[in-house]
Every structure is written in structure tokens, then in C-alpha cells.
Short mmCIF file of all heavy atoms in Angstrom, two decimals:
data_model
loop_
_atom_site.label_atom_id
_atom_site.label_comp_id
_atom_site.label_asym_id
_atom_site.label_seq_id
_atom_site.Cartn_x
_atom_site.Cartn_y
_atom_site.Cartn_z
N LYS A 750 -1.48 1.22 -5.00
CA LYS A 750 -2.69 0.62 -4.74
C LYS A 750 -3.61 1.37 -3.85
O LYS A 750 -3.20 1.91 -2.83
CB LYS A 750 -2.52 -0.75 -4.03
CG LYS A 750 -2.10 -1.81 -5.09
CD LYS A 750 -1.92 -3.23 -4.40
CE LYS A 750 -1.41 -4.15 -5.35
NZ LYS A 750 -1.18 -5.59 -4.62
N GLY A 751 -4.91 1.57 -4.28
CA GLY A 751 -5.78 2.36 -3.58
C GLY A 751 -5.76 3.92 -3.85
O GLY A 751 -6.61 4.64 -3.43
N ARG A 752 -4.76 4.28 -4.56
CA ARG A 752 -4.62 5.73 -5.13
C ARG A 752 -4.70 5.93 -6.43
O ARG A 752 -5.31 6.86 -6.99
CB ARG A 752 -3.36 6.32 -4.57
CG ARG A 752 -3.09 6.17 -3.13
CD ARG A 752 -1.82 6.99 -2.67
NE ARG A 752 -0.51 6.35 -3.19
CZ ARG A 752 0.17 7.12 -4.00
NH1 ARG A 752 -0.05 8.33 -4.33
NH2 ARG A 752 1.36 6.35 -4.47
N PHE A 753 -4.20 5.06 -7.28
CA PHE A 753 -4.21 5.01 -8.73
C PHE A 753 -5.25 4.08 -9.36
O PHE A 753 -5.43 2.97 -8.78
CB PHE A 753 -2.86 4.76 -9.36
CG PHE A 753 -1.78 5.72 -9.12
CD1 PHE A 753 -1.97 6.84 -8.09
CD2 PHE A 753 -0.53 5.59 -9.71
CE1 PHE A 753 -1.04 7.67 -7.85
CE2 PHE A 753 0.33 6.55 -9.43
CZ PHE A 753 0.21 7.62 -8.53
N THR A 754 -5.96 4.41 -10.36
CA THR A 754 -6.82 3.50 -11.04
C THR A 754 -6.53 3.57 -12.69
O THR A 754 -6.38 4.74 -13.19
CB THR A 754 -8.22 3.91 -10.93
OG1 THR A 754 -8.55 4.01 -9.49
CG2 THR A 754 -9.28 3.04 -11.61
N ILE A 755 -6.32 2.37 -13.22
CA ILE A 755 -6.02 2.27 -14.60
C ILE A 755 -7.31 1.78 -15.22
O ILE A 755 -8.05 1.05 -14.75
CB ILE A 755 -4.90 1.30 -14.89
CG1 ILE A 755 -4.53 1.33 -16.39
CG2 ILE A 755 -5.25 -0.15 -14.48
CD1 ILE A 755 -3.17 0.68 -16.72
N ALA A 756 -7.59 2.38 -16.52
CA ALA A 756 -8.75 1.97 -17.23
C ALA A 756 -8.50 2.06 -18.72
O ALA A 756 -7.63 2.83 -19.19
CB ALA A 756 -9.96 2.89 -16.92
N ARG A 757 -9.06 1.22 -19.54
CA ARG A 757 -8.86 1.32 -20.98
C ARG A 757 -10.11 1.24 -21.81
O ARG A 757 -11.16 0.85 -21.32
CB ARG A 757 -7.99 0.04 -21.44
CG ARG A 757 -8.60 -1.34 -21.14
CD ARG A 757 -7.67 -2.40 -21.56
NE ARG A 757 -7.54 -2.49 -23.06
CZ ARG A 757 -6.75 -3.44 -23.67
NH1 ARG A 757 -6.02 -4.31 -22.86
NH2 ARG A 757 -6.72 -3.51 -24.97
N ASP A 758 -10.10 1.81 -22.87
CA ASP A 758 -11.24 1.82 -23.90
C ASP A 758 -10.85 0.93 -25.02
O ASP A 758 -10.07 1.38 -25.90
CB ASP A 758 -11.52 3.13 -24.32
CG ASP A 758 -12.75 3.23 -25.11
OD1 ASP A 758 -13.04 2.22 -25.85
OD2 ASP A 758 -13.46 4.33 -25.19
N ASN A 759 -11.30 -0.27 -24.99
CA ASN A 759 -10.83 -1.27 -26.09
C ASN A 759 -11.27 -0.81 -27.36
O ASN A 759 -10.51 -1.14 -28.37
CB ASN A 759 -11.37 -2.68 -25.83
CG ASN A 759 -10.72 -3.27 -24.69
OD1 ASN A 759 -9.54 -2.96 -24.38
ND2 ASN A 759 -11.47 -4.14 -24.00
N ALA A 760 -12.34 -0.06 -27.56
CA ALA A 760 -12.70 0.35 -28.85
C ALA A 760 -11.84 1.53 -29.43
O ALA A 760 -11.81 1.65 -30.60
CB ALA A 760 -14.23 0.90 -28.75
N LYS A 761 -11.04 2.20 -28.56
CA LYS A 761 -10.32 3.24 -29.03
C LYS A 761 -8.83 3.08 -28.84
O LYS A 761 -8.01 4.02 -29.13
CB LYS A 761 -10.74 4.52 -28.30
CG LYS A 761 -12.17 5.06 -28.62
CD LYS A 761 -12.49 6.33 -27.75
CE LYS A 761 -13.86 6.73 -28.03
NZ LYS A 761 -14.23 7.94 -27.36
N SER A 762 -8.41 1.87 -28.33
CA SER A 762 -6.91 1.66 -28.07
C SER A 762 -6.46 2.81 -27.15
O SER A 762 -5.27 3.30 -27.42
CB SER A 762 -6.16 1.55 -29.31
OG SER A 762 -6.62 0.46 -30.17
N THR A 763 -7.11 3.16 -26.14
CA THR A 763 -6.62 4.13 -25.18
C THR A 763 -6.59 3.56 -23.82
O THR A 763 -7.23 2.66 -23.40
CB THR A 763 -7.50 5.39 -25.12
OG1 THR A 763 -8.77 4.98 -24.74
CG2 THR A 763 -7.56 6.06 -26.49
N VAL A 764 -5.64 4.06 -23.03
CA VAL A 764 -5.56 3.79 -21.56
C VAL A 764 -5.32 5.03 -20.78
O VAL A 764 -4.50 5.79 -21.17
CB VAL A 764 -4.43 2.68 -21.39
CG1 VAL A 764 -3.03 3.24 -21.88
CG2 VAL A 764 -4.38 2.22 -20.05
N ASP A 765 -6.01 5.10 -19.66
CA ASP A 765 -6.00 6.19 -18.75
C ASP A 765 -5.37 5.78 -17.36
O ASP A 765 -5.68 4.63 -17.00
CB ASP A 765 -7.28 6.88 -18.62
CG ASP A 765 -7.76 7.48 -19.94
OD1 ASP A 765 -7.01 7.78 -20.67
OD2 ASP A 765 -9.01 7.81 -19.92
N LEU A 766 -4.80 6.68 -16.69
CA LEU A 766 -4.29 6.33 -15.33
C LEU A 766 -4.82 7.62 -14.50
O LEU A 766 -4.33 8.69 -14.64
CB LEU A 766 -2.76 6.32 -15.30
CG LEU A 766 -2.26 5.94 -13.96
CD1 LEU A 766 -2.64 4.51 -13.50
CD2 LEU A 766 -0.70 6.08 -13.90
N GLN A 767 -5.80 7.36 -13.58
CA GLN A 767 -6.24 8.30 -12.64
C GLN A 767 -5.31 8.24 -11.37
O GLN A 767 -5.38 7.14 -10.74
CB GLN A 767 -7.78 8.04 -12.37
CG GLN A 767 -8.23 9.08 -11.33
CD GLN A 767 -8.32 10.55 -11.80
OE1 GLN A 767 -8.65 10.75 -12.90
NE2 GLN A 767 -7.90 11.51 -10.97
N MET A 768 -4.74 9.34 -11.03
CA MET A 768 -3.76 9.31 -9.92
C MET A 768 -4.41 10.28 -8.88
O MET A 768 -4.41 11.52 -9.10
CB MET A 768 -2.37 9.80 -10.36
CG MET A 768 -1.85 8.96 -11.54
SD MET A 768 -0.09 9.30 -11.96
CE MET A 768 -0.31 10.96 -12.47
N ASN A 769 -4.75 9.76 -7.77
CA ASN A 769 -5.18 10.55 -6.78
C ASN A 769 -4.27 10.45 -5.42
O ASN A 769 -3.45 9.53 -5.37
CB ASN A 769 -6.58 10.00 -6.17
CG ASN A 769 -7.59 10.11 -7.38
OD1 ASN A 769 -7.54 11.15 -8.18
ND2 ASN A 769 -8.57 9.20 -7.31
N SER A 770 -4.46 11.42 -4.56
CA SER A 770 -3.59 11.47 -3.29
C SER A 770 -2.17 11.37 -3.69
O SER A 770 -1.31 10.56 -3.04
CB SER A 770 -4.10 10.24 -2.38
OG SER A 770 -5.45 10.33 -1.91
N LEU A 771 -1.71 12.16 -4.57
CA LEU A 771 -0.40 12.16 -5.09
C LEU A 771 0.68 12.43 -3.89
O LEU A 771 0.32 13.24 -3.14
CB LEU A 771 -0.21 13.01 -6.32
CG LEU A 771 -0.80 12.29 -7.57
CD1 LEU A 771 -1.01 13.47 -8.65
CD2 LEU A 771 0.14 11.22 -8.06
N LYS A 772 1.77 11.78 -4.02
CA LYS A 772 2.83 12.12 -3.03
C LYS A 772 4.03 12.52 -3.75
O LYS A 772 4.28 12.22 -4.97
CB LYS A 772 3.11 10.78 -2.23
CG LYS A 772 1.96 10.08 -1.61
CD LYS A 772 2.32 8.83 -0.98
CE LYS A 772 1.17 8.12 -0.38
NZ LYS A 772 1.54 6.83 0.26
N PRO A 773 4.97 13.27 -3.04
CA PRO A 773 6.25 13.62 -3.79
C PRO A 773 7.04 12.41 -4.36
O PRO A 773 7.62 12.64 -5.38
CB PRO A 773 7.05 14.32 -2.55
CG PRO A 773 5.96 14.92 -1.76
CD PRO A 773 4.88 13.85 -1.83
N GLU A 774 6.95 11.30 -3.68
CA GLU A 774 7.62 10.11 -4.28
C GLU A 774 7.05 9.66 -5.53
O GLU A 774 7.59 8.76 -6.12
CB GLU A 774 7.78 9.04 -3.17
CG GLU A 774 6.42 8.60 -2.42
CD GLU A 774 6.21 9.44 -1.19
OE1 GLU A 774 6.51 10.64 -1.15
OE2 GLU A 774 5.77 8.79 -0.10
N ASP A 775 5.92 10.13 -5.88
CA ASP A 775 5.33 9.69 -7.21
C ASP A 775 5.92 10.61 -8.35
O ASP A 775 5.71 10.32 -9.59
CB ASP A 775 3.94 10.05 -7.16
CG ASP A 775 3.02 9.12 -6.34
OD1 ASP A 775 3.44 7.86 -6.23
OD2 ASP A 775 2.08 9.55 -5.61
N THR A 776 6.73 11.57 -8.07
CA THR A 776 7.39 12.27 -9.03
C THR A 776 8.29 11.46 -10.01
O THR A 776 9.17 10.60 -9.47
CB THR A 776 8.25 13.41 -8.50
OG1 THR A 776 7.45 14.39 -7.72
CG2 THR A 776 9.13 14.20 -9.53
N ALA A 777 8.02 11.44 -11.26
CA ALA A 777 8.79 10.66 -12.11
C ALA A 777 8.37 11.02 -13.55
O ALA A 777 7.32 11.73 -13.77
CB ALA A 777 8.51 9.23 -11.95
N VAL A 778 9.01 10.40 -14.60
CA VAL A 778 8.48 10.28 -16.01
C VAL A 778 7.68 9.13 -16.10
O VAL A 778 8.13 8.05 -15.77
CB VAL A 778 9.72 10.31 -16.91
CG1 VAL A 778 9.07 10.39 -18.43
CG2 VAL A 778 10.47 11.56 -16.82
N TYR A 779 6.41 9.27 -16.57
CA TYR A 779 5.49 8.20 -16.70
C TYR A 779 5.39 7.71 -18.13
O TYR A 779 5.26 8.65 -19.09
CB TYR A 779 4.11 8.51 -16.17
CG TYR A 779 4.02 8.58 -14.71
CD1 TYR A 779 4.72 9.57 -13.86
CD2 TYR A 779 3.36 7.65 -13.96
CE1 TYR A 779 4.62 9.56 -12.52
CE2 TYR A 779 3.24 7.63 -12.62
CZ TYR A 779 3.92 8.59 -11.92
OH TYR A 779 3.90 8.60 -10.53
N TYR A 780 5.58 6.51 -18.42
CA TYR A 780 5.65 5.93 -19.79
C TYR A 780 4.49 5.07 -20.05
O TYR A 780 4.21 4.17 -19.28
CB TYR A 780 6.84 5.11 -20.02
CG TYR A 780 8.16 6.02 -19.99
CD1 TYR A 780 8.87 6.09 -18.73
CD2 TYR A 780 8.60 6.54 -21.04
CE1 TYR A 780 9.93 6.88 -18.75
CE2 TYR A 780 9.85 7.25 -21.01
CZ TYR A 780 10.47 7.44 -19.87
OH TYR A 780 11.64 8.18 -19.79
N CYS A 781 3.68 5.31 -21.14
CA CYS A 781 2.64 4.41 -21.58
C CYS A 781 3.28 3.27 -22.29
O CYS A 781 4.34 3.41 -23.10
CB CYS A 781 1.77 5.11 -22.47
SG CYS A 781 0.47 4.17 -23.16
N THR A 782 2.74 1.99 -22.09
CA THR A 782 3.23 0.79 -22.93
C THR A 782 2.10 0.17 -23.37
O THR A 782 1.05 -0.07 -22.70
CB THR A 782 4.16 0.12 -21.94
OG1 THR A 782 4.58 -1.08 -22.73
CG2 THR A 782 3.44 -0.56 -20.70
N VAL A 783 2.28 -0.47 -24.51
CA VAL A 783 1.31 -1.36 -25.19
C VAL A 783 2.09 -2.64 -25.56
O VAL A 783 3.12 -2.66 -26.21
CB VAL A 783 0.72 -0.73 -26.40
CG1 VAL A 783 -0.21 -1.81 -27.09
CG2 VAL A 783 -0.25 0.43 -25.92
N GLN A 784 1.49 -3.85 -25.14
CA GLN A 784 1.96 -5.14 -25.48
C GLN A 784 1.10 -5.78 -26.48
O GLN A 784 -0.14 -6.01 -26.14
CB GLN A 784 2.19 -6.02 -24.31
CG GLN A 784 2.92 -7.36 -24.54
CD GLN A 784 3.01 -8.19 -23.34
OE1 GLN A 784 2.44 -7.93 -22.31
NE2 GLN A 784 3.92 -9.22 -23.52
N THR A 785 1.66 -6.04 -27.67
CA THR A 785 0.80 -6.75 -28.75
C THR A 785 1.29 -8.30 -28.60
O THR A 785 2.21 -8.64 -27.98
CB THR A 785 0.89 -6.26 -30.03
OG1 THR A 785 2.27 -6.45 -30.50
CG2 THR A 785 0.68 -4.71 -30.02
N TYR A 786 0.72 -9.00 -29.51
CA TYR A 786 1.20 -10.48 -29.63
C TYR A 786 2.54 -10.58 -30.35
O TYR A 786 3.14 -11.67 -30.37
CB TYR A 786 0.17 -11.27 -30.36
CG TYR A 786 -1.11 -11.37 -29.59
CD1 TYR A 786 -2.22 -10.48 -29.87
CD2 TYR A 786 -1.30 -12.31 -28.68
CE1 TYR A 786 -3.36 -10.53 -29.02
CE2 TYR A 786 -2.51 -12.42 -27.83
CZ TYR A 786 -3.55 -11.51 -28.11
OH TYR A 786 -4.62 -11.65 -27.34
N LEU A 787 3.04 -9.51 -30.81
CA LEU A 787 4.36 -9.58 -31.53
C LEU A 787 5.36 -8.68 -30.88
O LEU A 787 6.61 -8.97 -31.01
CB LEU A 787 4.19 -9.06 -32.91
CG LEU A 787 3.26 -9.91 -33.93
CD1 LEU A 787 3.24 -9.30 -35.27
CD2 LEU A 787 3.95 -11.37 -34.03
N SER A 788 5.16 -7.59 -30.19
CA SER A 788 5.98 -6.71 -29.62
C SER A 788 5.57 -5.89 -28.43
O SER A 788 4.35 -5.98 -28.21
CB SER A 788 6.59 -5.82 -30.85
OG SER A 788 7.75 -5.11 -30.32
N THR A 789 6.40 -5.12 -27.87
CA THR A 789 6.06 -4.22 -26.82
C THR A 789 6.50 -2.77 -27.30
O THR A 789 7.54 -2.52 -27.81
CB THR A 789 6.73 -4.53 -25.53
OG1 THR A 789 6.31 -5.79 -25.11
CG2 THR A 789 6.32 -3.52 -24.47
N TYR A 790 5.46 -1.75 -27.13
CA TYR A 790 5.85 -0.49 -27.63
C TYR A 790 5.88 0.47 -26.36
O TYR A 790 5.02 0.30 -25.48
CB TYR A 790 4.85 -0.07 -28.59
CG TYR A 790 4.77 -0.86 -29.75
CD1 TYR A 790 4.02 -1.89 -29.81
CD2 TYR A 790 5.72 -0.87 -30.85
CE1 TYR A 790 3.96 -2.85 -30.97
CE2 TYR A 790 5.73 -1.58 -31.98
CZ TYR A 790 4.88 -2.63 -32.02
OH TYR A 790 4.83 -3.48 -33.06
N TRP A 791 6.54 1.61 -26.50
CA TRP A 791 6.61 2.65 -25.38
C TRP A 791 6.33 4.01 -25.84
O TRP A 791 6.78 4.32 -27.05
CB TRP A 791 7.95 2.60 -24.74
CG TRP A 791 8.35 1.28 -24.10
CD1 TRP A 791 8.84 0.15 -24.63
CD2 TRP A 791 8.16 0.95 -22.75
NE1 TRP A 791 9.04 -0.80 -23.69
CE2 TRP A 791 8.57 -0.46 -22.45
CE3 TRP A 791 7.64 1.65 -21.59
CZ2 TRP A 791 8.58 -1.01 -21.29
CZ3 TRP A 791 7.44 1.09 -20.51
CH2 TRP A 791 8.00 -0.35 -20.19
#
């Protein structure tokens, strides 16, 4: 909170994650996920 910002473009089915003030503990594999009314995708 206060460092990352999520935003989506509904017209294009895209989602972005702006990550600022990154810390070593942010090191990881980042996965995008989409939840529809039927399932969840990764």
C-alpha cells in the first residue's frame, strides 16, 4: 500500500501494476490473474 498502483483498461482486458519504491522483499515471481463468472485464470 502506498507503493504499488493497479489499473485496468476495461476496453482492452488489460491490467497494469505500477511498482514504486521497490524493496528487496518484493523479489518474487508475479502472476497475473483474471476472474470471470465461470473460472479463474493465471
Side-chain angles (χ1 to χ4, degrees):
K750 284 180 180 177
R752 300 188 297 123
F753 291 11
T754 302
I755 190 169
R757 63 182 285 184
D758 185 335
N759 287 337
K761 298 180 180 180
S762 298
T763 61
V764 60
D765 293 343
L766 184 69
Q767 178 65 41
M768 305 185 293
N769 299 327
S770 301
L771 283 161
K772 304 175 181 180
E774 50 263 45
D775 294 319
T776 295
V778 177
Y779 284 69
Y780 297 90
C781 174
T782 182
V783 171
Q784 185 180 16
T785 70
Y786 291 96
L787 294 178
S788 189
T789 299
Y790 302 94
W791 295 88

